[in-house]
Amino acid sequence: MHSTISRRSLIKGAVAGAAGSTLLTMLDARQAPAQTKGTNLRLLLWSHYVPAYDVWFDKFTKEWGDKTGVKVRVDHIPHLELPARYAAEFAAGAGHDLIYFAGQILTGQYYRNLVDVSDVAEGLGKKYGGWLDAAKSAAQVAGHWYAVPDFFISIPVLWRKDLFASVGLGEPKTWDDLRKAGGQLKAKGHPTGMQFSHCNDARRTRADRTSRSTPKRCARRSSSARRSTTRA
């Protein structure tokens, strides 16, 4: 009997696994299920700001592919170009099997084009102590995981206690406290501010800080890049 394995079948097979195993089990065992051998796996990632990381990652995936019989192709593009690539691939119903949301977290927008990976995410959560609420809000839709967060960045508000004390101020509790302190400190030759540039970190941090009420809430965000599997 002649049969073919589509990209969607490959991903679903990896998630569901062979003989009742899951992708999490496969990762723990570092061995792919039998039906993935001889197949192709295409990944879309950002071009890392540390070029050596891309070199290491490409080498890692090639070694993994050689061991498991999977031909892996990794494409790196600048992160500001990723949203347009996502839109084009989802509209065409073709492209990469695994995508990496770096900065632009679009799980909610494209979940209909993604494979449910709840077994993977929930297994990792149980193994490592649970997920932050920020991770759930970024990777879940209606209680189902369509992506798996893999890092978290804390962006705290920093202030000089001695400078704040010099104008009679203590710890800033609200953004208005920072605004008032900025005016007084600028007059004394110590200007304050936040970054403005054409990069994801500057834009996302500024958006987070202007959309919430207190520094402590805004200081922590999940800019976790997340890996998602796409439907064919």
Side-chain angles (χ1 to χ4, degrees), residues 154-159 164 169-185 192-196 201-221:
S154 177
I155 303 181
V157 173
L158 304 176
W159 72 95
F164 272 62
L169 299 174
E171 175 187 354
K173 300 290 186 181
T174 67
W175 290 118
D176 198 47
D177 289 345
L178 286 178
R179 181 186 63 80
K180 293 176 181 177
Q184 296 181 55
L185 290 172
T192 185
M194 61 182 66
Q195 70 275 19
F196 282 82
D201 284 346
R203 293 188 303 171
R204 285 292 300 275
T205 303
R206 185 170 70 251
D208 286 347
R209 289 178 174 177
T210 57
S211 65
R212 301 190 182 188
S213 59
T214 66
K216 288 186 176 179
R217 290 182 63 198
C218 297
R220 303 187 69 187
R221 69 179 174 86

Side-chain angles (χ1 to χ4, degrees), residues 4-225:
T4 60
I5 300 178
S6 67
R7 290 191 306 113
R8 182 177 181 182
S9 297
L10 169 62
I11 295 300
K12 291 186 70 175
V15 174
S21 66
T22 65
L23 180 57
L24 181 60
T25 304
M26 182 188 80
L27 294 174
D28 283 341
R30 298 187 180 280
Q31 182 176 356
Q35 72 263 34
T36 66
K37 293 183 179 180
T39 58
N40 299 316
L41 182 63
R42 291 176 290 179
L43 286 71
L44 176 64
L45 280 73
W46 67 328
S47 297
H48 203 280
Y49 58 89
V50 179
Y53 176 85
D54 288 343
V55 174
W56 170 85
F57 188 84
D58 291 348
K59 181 174 180 291
F60 171 82
T61 55
K62 183 179 184 307
E63 291 176 348
W64 178 85
D66 291 342
K67 292 178 180 178
T68 57
V70 177
K71 184 177 181 180
V72 181
R73 171 180 168 178
V74 182
D75 294 320
H76 304 269
I77 68 173
H79 73 278
L80 292 177
E81 297 178 13
L82 285 171
R85 178 64 68 86
Y86 302 150
E89 293 195 3
F90 290 139
H96 294 82
D97 305 298
L98 290 174
I99 61 174
Y100 198 69
F101 287 145
Q104 304 91 349
I105 311 305
L106 303 176
T107 314
Q109 181 174 344
Y110 291 121
Y111 75 95
R112 294 179 181 85
N113 303 97
L114 304 174
V115 174
D116 188 327
V117 291
S118 296
D119 62 333
V120 179
E122 290 171 1
L124 289 169
K126 291 177 181 178
K127 184 174 181 178
Y128 295 107
W131 291 97
L132 296 173
D133 288 339
K136 296 178 181 178
S137 67
Q140 284 186 345
V141 176
H144 295 273
W145 293 87
Y146 291 94
V148 179
D150 69 345
F151 71 82
F152 174 84
I153 294 178
S154 177
I155 303 181
V157 173
L158 304 176
W159 72 95
R160 286 265 304 269
K161 294 177 66 175
D162 59 332
L163 292 181
F164 272 62
S166 71
V167 292
L169 299 174
E171 175 187 354
K173 300 290 186 181
T174 67
W175 290 118
D176 198 47
D177 289 345
L178 286 178
R179 181 186 63 80
K180 293 176 181 177
Q184 296 181 55
L185 290 172
K186 182 178 180 179
K188 295 188 65 174
H190 299 290
T192 185
M194 61 182 66
Q195 70 275 19
F196 282 82
S197 67
H198 188 53
C199 73
N200 186 67
D201 284 346
R203 293 188 303 171
R204 285 292 300 275
T205 303
R206 185 170 70 251
D208 286 347
R209 289 178 174 177
T210 57
S211 65
R212 301 190 182 188
S213 59
T214 66
K216 288 186 176 179
R217 290 182 63 198
C218 297
R220 303 187 69 187
R221 69 179 174 86
S222 173
S223 72
S224 46

